[in-house]
Amino acid sequence: MEKLVLIDGHSILNRAFYGVPGLTNSEGLHTNAVYGFLNILFKLLEEEKPGYLAVAFDLKAPTFRHTMYDAYKGTRKPMPEELHEQVPLMKEVLTAMGIPIFTREGYEADDILGTVAKKAQAAGMEVTVVSGDRDLLQLSDAHIKISIPKTSRGTTEVHTYYPEDVKREYQVTPEQFIDVKALMGDTSDNIPGVPSIGEKTATNLILQFGSVNGVYEHLSEVKPPRAKKSLEEHRDLAELSYKLAKICIDAPVEFSPEDARIGDLYTKEAYEYMSRLEFKSLLARFGDHVKKEAAAALDFHAVTDLAVAEALFQKAMGSERTGAVLLAEGPEISGAALCLDGQNAYLIQKEGFLTGEYLAEKMTELYRTGHVWTLGLKSQLPFLDLGYGDTVYDAAVAAYLLNPLKDTYDYDDLARDHLGLTAPSRADLLKKLTYAEAMDQEPEAFLSFAGFLGHCAYQSGGILMEKLEAEGMKDLYLEIELPLIYALYHMEEEGIAVKREELSAYGEKLKQQITVLEQEIWDMTGSQFNINSPKQLGEVLFEKMGLKGGKKTKTGYSTAADVLEKLAPDYPVVQKILDYRTYAKLNSTYAEGLGNFIGPDGRIHSRFNQTITATGRISSTEPNLQNIPIRMELGRAIRKVFVPRDGFVFLDADYSQIELRVLAHMSGDSRLIEAYRSAQDIHAITASQVFHIPLDQVTPLKRRNAKAVNFGIVYGISAFGLSEDLSISRKEALEYINQYFETYPGVKTFLDGLVADAREKGFVSTMFGRRRPVPELGSANFMQRSFGERVAMNSPIQGTAADIIKIAMIRVDRRLREEGLESRLILQVHDELLVETAVREKAQVERILSEEMSRAAALKVPLEIDMHDGKNWFEAK
DNA sequence: TTGCGGCCT
DNA sequence: GCCTAAGGCCGCAAC
């Protein structure tokens, strides 16, 4: 079928302008947008291989929308000059490449795209419309695909939408997309919408009634009374917005495919432009575009036959090392990738006798041999029957230990960073298809994906263990990180029960307060603005009302809490704003945010990530359960909705000052060690020794200062930071620091040694050998170098504490299971473990927690634990 | 997407 | 003078 690609010129140019860092050629011309546009264009040509191509641009002249709606004139945002000057340049380059440019007076590019796309579809063509603007999704059709490229950090990812994709993401059909937009409006397009109807309400209404007309036909049934009232009052607005939002598909544009047939893009004129604009990588492309990419030397095989699969598993079981990944997403197994040598890789597809159950069983058997290297074991565990006794090597976790500073550890990352191989990424091969979709729709790409995945897992096994051993991290890997995968998986599976009704009642109370505060703030400031917008808030406070407290951020006035708190005593409205912020935060992030994650089992199953942090801590996402409020009473109350199941209580155990104890141990400072061996109150004893006062005469203020110094030491002390924290002069802060170091000279020697060591070796290490590279120390920039010094001081301390609690987690989780208990570890919050404990097992679990946490490491000071129980998380802290 | 602001250890 | 205390995640606004 004939393929046509249509590009929304201004939109893509705009995307490229913001996505690509500033570039100028030697004439001083800005070129970044043109460069980004061309990169997107070439990527499209490679992926789509279209026979036809055209680009649509807006004209300056007013369009039919302006005659409909005066305010539409305000729509067009002023284009930055640096972008504006690239528009004619872009058109010239396209012309040089023989690519047609479509424009029409009185219409926007959207309308031209809509009209041409529908005409081409009617003529039997397969159309791809490329834009950065999601409004175009309304054009999505059986043979019209909407492509939305995203450029960041030099790489471009393309998201594509057929009608079913639109439905999956927005729930509504492409046509209804217009209806939703008409109701909710769009500030960036100056489409007014109906007041007080947001995205959620609009989507719900359209889902319920089908269209804007449908909504008005059933106005009496419309649910939130506020929305109903607003709809009644603003029917004109809704109808106008619909007309503005709807893209015209019958603009007076002629289209015959021949106008858009792609000829030779690599013309001499185009080459000259690339040269003048100094696009070196594109010049190279022009130079060798004929050269085919060297075909991959690997052999990938698809296995669909039971006997063949049996033989392959048999061989894998007996081989010295196997690369294997169970391809599973959501609840579904799609296949298995296997690799037994450096040449061949296999995709065993779920098909016929090769059922999901069969694959799960064979893979379990294979993984139990103890010679399997995989990638992302935790996400495969729901389908496998494995436990602490089974060692499965996870290459992603190994790669994380070797360099914890990277964002991702996918197979293509491993290929590049460790195997000297360039592998196409999942996004390159499968776009955004799921495994099941890819296997069905793009079987060759899926085979390739599985092949590279298996190959990289296998090859990683040949190299990563050697690297770990060479860097002294083999034990860390085998004894801590690999078993930890099971502990994290168990916590994810277990989840934590949340009282849904109580949570939403809590949210309702907050919302009432928010409404009241909002009105009061509007009255007191004399303008109805969005209090959530730091920009608007800054303007109202510091310009309209003239409060003192000038600029602080890059983009405007700082309205951060510490700034506002200084103003609160003098201006009552500022306190209201701070209160509003508190309520709004608690409602959006916690009441509503957490509510969205309660599963059908009434529990929240957060994800615990093992390869995110630079220091070795784990992180929690979807939702983050490691930042549930505790400091303020109002927020702390949220913890009451986290409850144990019937017949259970919560037992919560946390390490007392673990980082300071780690510091005492690692530094070996004898005075600090002696102090912590006996101390009940570590900050008080620090105050007593540093400020030379008897322990029983330490005032709360002195203790507070000592506590701040202790924090400073752990964070990588700086006089500036300490002075900010205590609101004292930098000189005074420096005096505190010097006094501290005089008192504990071993700490000073230790921290200086860490920095010197890091400078020499390029990394720092924890007690258990975990490394963190510190490249910033080599920087010529003072700020960056200082940052590197703080990293060098903090990471070994924070990281060692992370190692210790990981050891404790593994042992606690193992013992609960191996001793046949029903109690389960369900959360870790950096220095805290939460166990959902069967009432009759309480004493035993207390003993397990206490023993395993204290014994996790043998330090020169005791590891002390505070433990509480309760019928919810609030009580158990 | 980025920046701001805010919650945790 | 630099204008940073360490490590995270997430909602919102504006781009």
Side-chain angles (χ1 to χ4, degrees), chain A residues 504-523:
Chain A
S504 58
Y506 178 79
E508 288 305 319
K509 271 200 322 208
L510 295 173
K511 273 186 273 186
Q512 280 183 12
Q513 285 301 313
I514 289 168
T515 313
V516 172
L517 283 164
E518 180 181 55
Q519 195 57 55
E520 287 179 348
I521 291 164
W522 286 348
D523 290 345

Side-chain angles (χ1 to χ4, degrees), chain A residues 44 103 109 145 164 193 198 207 251 305 403 453 460 464 555 568 591 636 677 698 705 744 781 799 803 842 851:
Chain A
L44 275 163
T103 58
K145 177 171 78 178
E164 59 267 28
L207 279 176
D305 181 273
N403 181 1
L453 188 55
S460 295
L464 296 188
T555 47
R636 189 174 192 150
R677 276 189 182 159
V698 172
N705 290 348
Y744 308 115
N781 177 295
D803 295 341
K842 192 168 155 232
E851 285 173 0

Side-chain angles (χ1 to χ4, degrees), chain A residues 115 673 779:
Chain A
T115 303
I673 291 169
S779 169

Side-chain angles (χ1 to χ4, degrees), chain A residues 68 79 95 131 145 181 246 341 385 407 435 463 529 561 572 580 601 660-661 867:
Chain A
M68 237 188 296
M79 200 187 267
T95 305
S131 175
K145 177 171 78 178
K181 192 167 163 176
K246 184 166 171 53
D341 59 49
D385 185 13
D407 290 336
Y435 288 169
I463 185 91
F529 65 104
Y580 173 91
D601 57 353
L660 287 174
R661 291 171 194 273
M867 203 175 338

Side-chain angles (χ1 to χ4, degrees), chain A residues 79 186 303 336 402 459 550 554 598 628 655 667 705 726 852:
Chain A
M79 200 187 267
D186 184 334
V303 176
L402 291 168
Q459 295 290 44
K554 281 173 257 183
I598 302 176
I628 304 302
Y655 283 112
S667 70
N705 290 348
L726 286 179
E852 299 306 341

Side-chain angles (χ1 to χ4, degrees), chain A residues 156-354:
Chain A
T156 302
E157 249 189 76
V158 184
H159 291 207
T160 61
Y161 296 85
Y162 279 110
E164 59 267 28
D165 304 307
V166 176
K167 257 195 126 160
R168 180 162 50 224
E169 201 163 315
Y170 296 93
Q171 296 169 275
V172 297
T173 64
E175 293 74 29
Q176 291 173 328
F177 200 79
I178 311 168
D179 296 88
V180 170
K181 192 167 163 176
L183 292 184
M184 66 184 272
D186 184 334
T187 46
S188 68
D189 276 1
N190 227 20
I191 290 176
V194 177
S196 81
I197 292 189
E199 185 178 353
K200 262 191 186 163
T201 316
T203 304
N204 286 336
L205 289 173
I206 296 305
L207 279 176
Q208 198 180 347
F209 302 114
S211 64
V212 171
N213 284 336
V215 170
Y216 277 102
E217 279 163 24
H218 300 86
L219 198 54
S220 56
E221 299 162 45
V222 167
K223 211 31 198 311
R226 209 159 70 127
K228 183 176 160 188
K229 184 153 172 287
S230 190
L231 283 162
E232 268 169 4
E233 285 171 14
H234 299 100
R235 182 161 190 159
D236 295 356
L237 218 44
E239 283 166 359
L240 172 66
S241 291
Y242 184 88
K243 286 185 199 155
L244 292 173
K246 184 166 171 53
I247 291 173
C248 179
I249 55 168
D250 50 8
V253 183
E254 291 308 313
F255 171 71
S256 73
E258 280 320 301
D259 302 341
R261 184 186 287 281
I262 297 178
D264 179 18
L265 301 173
Y266 300 91
T267 60
K268 188 159 153 283
E269 293 77 22
Y271 184 85
E272 278 163 11
Y273 261 109
M274 302 300 150
S275 165
R276 180 179 151 212
L277 300 178
E278 298 163 12
F279 294 160
K280 293 211 181 66
S281 65
L282 293 175
L283 274 178
R285 176 190 290 275
F286 272 65
D288 65 12
H289 77 277
V290 278
K291 281 188 211 158
K292 291 265 182 275
E293 297 230 350
L298 302 170
D299 296 321
F300 297 154
H301 317 270
V303 176
T304 52
D305 181 273
L306 179 61
V308 178
E310 276 291 319
L312 191 56
F313 275 119
Q314 190 71 31
K315 194 172 165 203
M317 296 284 294
S319 76
E320 194 183 323
R321 181 175 89 235
T322 305
V325 180
L326 184 66
L327 301 165
E329 256 174 3
E332 204 175 353
I333 291 175
S334 295
L338 282 190
C339 179
L340 286 69
D341 59 49
Q343 181 64 45
N344 302 286
Y346 305 85
L347 163 63
I348 305 178
Q349 300 188 22
K350 189 185 79 169
E351 188 181 310
F353 291 117
L354 297 168

